[in-house]
Structures are given as structure tokens and as C-alpha cells.
Amino acid sequence: MTKLAPSSVKSVRSAGSAPYASLALRDSSLKGVNLGELLRKAKSLRESNPPAEQGALPAERTDFTELGASFVIRNGVAHNDDLSAKSPLLRLAGS
């Protein structure tokens, strides 16, 4: 689990009638999953060279250099249209 530093949450305010929040994380990690290893395993399976089975390890993690998003909260559900994540392996954008 990534702990948020106070400077990570950029703002929390009301956007019209709905609460709004944004965050920016730098040089952190997502613990419990290693996306790089999962992608290597998927590629290996595609090439008919299956790796040995292995369960998830608590020490696994996916490092990222940036993760940013803003949210409008309506009826208890956060809606996001500008998700952006960057890591040494991949770039993600979405909503």
C-alpha cells in the first residue's frame, strides 16, 4: 500500500455541487503485484514457452515515476477522466 504524503493530495474542494479531489504521486510503487513480471509471463505463454507456476509474493511491487488523477465525487462514487501513470516499463492513460 502506498502511503500518501500530505503534498500528494493536490486539492480537495467543491466543484459546483460535487466534491472534487486531485492527487499526484512521484517515485512510488504499487505493492503486491509486479506488472513487469506479469507481462514477461504473458509474452512467454504467447511464445509457447510457459514459465513455472508461482503464487503472488507479498514483496512484489510495481514501481512508477508518476501517478496523477483528479476526481469528481457524485453519490459516493469517484469519477475520473484524466488518469495518468508512468513507469519505467509502461505508460497508462485513461478515464
Side-chain angles (χ1 to χ4, degrees):
M1 172 187 276
T2 299
K3 293 182 181 179
L4 298 179
S7 61
S8 299
V9 178
K10 294 171 69 176
S11 65
V12 177
R13 62 179 173 79
S14 179
S17 62
Y20 172 88
S22 65
L23 64 95
L25 301 175
R26 304 252 187 254
D27 299 319
S28 194
S29 62
L30 174 64
K31 293 185 180 178
V33 64
N34 183 333
L35 290 177
E37 182 65 22
L38 288 174
L39 290 172
R40 283 187 286 279
K41 285 180 181 179
K43 182 180 177 189
S44 180
L45 286 172
R46 195 175 115 214
E47 295 171 352
S48 299
N49 185 16
E53 288 295 319
Q54 175 181 334
L57 301 174
E60 289 184 335
R61 68 182 200 188
T62 299
D63 294 325
F64 59 86
T65 54
E66 290 181 31
L67 175 65
S70 62
F71 307 89
V72 174
I73 304 164
R74 292 188 188 100
N75 299 323
V77 178
H79 300 271
N80 168 270
D81 291 323
D82 64 352
L83 176 68
S84 174
K86 297 177 183 176
S87 78
L89 180 63
L90 50 101
R91 303 285 190 255
L92 301 172
S95 57

